Each structure stands twice: as structure tokens, then as C-alpha cells.
Amino acid sequence: MAVKRIGLTGGIGSGKSTVASLLVAEGAVLVDTDAIARRIAQPGGMAMPAIEAAFGASVIAPNGGLDRAAMRQIVFADAGAKARLEAILHPLIGTETQRQAAAAGDDAVVVFDVPLLVESGRWRALVDRVLVVDAREDTQLQRVVARSGWEPEAVRAVIAQQAPRKARRAAADAVIYNESLTLAELGTEVRGLWKLWAAATTR
């Protein structure tokens, strides 16, 4: 079967974004749902009026965009708040995701970078293959603290809200265990999968 749609997921700090970049280097078209979510919550973003109406001025940064730190505190403490935020964001993200995929054209291999692919429950039917980037939780923690300066407790809270590693691996057609790989080794893994899944469709 021709592989035209690849769902890419992994926990925070797993190396998923690096794998996405490597797939783009091989010829994939990337649709990054996190990037879409960030853009619609920037100053003037289409999600901002509904977010302010739902959560008030306390989650609005001085520049008019979403105060992500304030929102994280709210949704980590209140599952209902998380559901309300997702009800605002997910339809908008879905519409833009579909638009970008359609714009890529029928011949493109599209990689959908979806952090919550397993949690959403709907993506399995929308893609031909699921690729999971996996790493131990302590490694995820170290990477995120090093790159972002977050407190470890904040990283643990994010990990706790994401699907367990076992559930992600169970949903995968392929897993890249990105625990001690160099960038060159990671690239070799990605190129191998690209040749197996997608290269034949892009000739």
C-alpha cells in the first residue's frame, strides 16, 4: 500500500521534532499541529477571543497572546479547564491541518506531527502508518529541563497528562527508541523507515 499519510508522535523530550525535521529532509511535507496551536494562540490569533471569553484576562499575556505558563497551571489543576481549552483549539487546529495537507498535493507524503495522537483516538483512521519516537521518562525530563529551563515538576506534570509510553508503543507501526542515539544514528533510523514506507511513492 502506498504510504501517503504518516502520523508522528512521542512524549515531550522524546526527540519527535528532530525526527520530523529528518523526515522533511527526506522529502516529506510536515503538518505540525503544535505549531498550528501556537500560531492560533498568538496575538491576533483566531483562538484568542474564545480563550479570553472562556478563561478571562488572567491567561492573556501583555502582548495579547496566550500566557502559556498561566494556562498550564490552570489545566494541570482542572481537567474541566483542559477540556474547555481543547474544545476551543481542536476544531481550529483540525481545519488548518486539513488545509495544509490538501495544499501539499496528492503526490506528497505528509507527516502529521501530533503530540496527542494516541490520546485523541481519531488519528489512527486518518493516517496510513503511525511512527512513535520513544525514550525513558527520566531522559525526557533531563532533555526538557536542559532545553527549556522548566522546573522538573512542570515537566513531570506534562508527562503525566500524556499517554503512557506503553500505550504509544502499542499504537505504533514502528518505534524509534531515541535513548542514546547520536544524530547520525537517528538519521539512519529515519532514512531506513523512509525507504520502507515512503520512498517508493515519491519516485
Side-chain angles (χ1 to χ4, degrees):
M1 183 181 71
V3 177
K4 292 291 189 178
R5 300 291 184 263
I6 298 172
L8 172 65
T9 195
I12 187 173
S14 64
K16 175 177 58 64
S17 296
T18 302
V19 169
S21 297
L22 290 166
L23 286 166
V24 169
E26 293 301 314
V29 175
L30 179 65
V31 177
D32 185 339
T33 61
D34 245 6
I36 293 170
R38 288 192 298 271
R39 186 162 64 251
I40 65 176
Q42 287 177 346
M46 66 180 72
M48 290 311 302
I51 289 174
E52 185 169 9
F55 295 97
S58 65
V59 299
I60 308 302
N63 65 3
L66 179 64
D67 184 332
R68 296 183 180 280
M71 183 59 79
R72 273 197 301 272
Q73 290 183 343
I74 291 172
V75 299
F76 288 160
D78 181 355
K82 182 174 182 286
R84 292 197 303 276
L85 179 63
E86 290 175 345
I88 294 168
L89 295 179
H90 286 184
L92 297 173
I93 294 169
T95 297
E96 179 61 13
T97 295
Q98 293 172 11
R99 187 197 69 77
Q100 290 187 18
D106 293 337
D107 294 332
V109 177
V110 180
V111 173
F112 298 91
D113 183 339
V114 187
L116 300 181
L117 183 148
V118 174
E119 294 87 335
S120 75
R122 68 184 185 91
W123 274 96
R124 175 69 269 186
L126 301 177
V127 296
D128 302 318
R129 297 287 188 276
V130 171
L131 172 58
V132 168
V133 186
D134 186 40
R136 296 198 316 263
E137 288 188 5
D138 58 338
T139 300
Q140 294 176 250
L141 177 68
Q142 292 167 11
R143 288 173 178 167
V144 177
V145 169
R147 80 185 183 201
S148 69
W150 285 16
E151 293 296 324
E153 292 75 15
V155 183
R156 291 191 186 97
V158 173
I159 291 173
Q161 291 208 345
Q162 295 182 329
R165 291 174 59 205
K166 183 178 180 180
R168 278 196 296 268
R169 292 195 300 268
D173 294 296
V175 176
I176 293 178
Y177 186 51
N178 185 29
E179 184 57 45
S180 57
L181 298 178
T182 66
L183 182 58
E185 290 167 340
L186 185 59
T188 298
E189 295 253 2
V190 169
R191 285 189 295 275
L193 272 174
W194 179 260
K195 290 176 181 177
L196 179 65
W197 284 358
T201 71
T202 57
R203 291 172 184 164

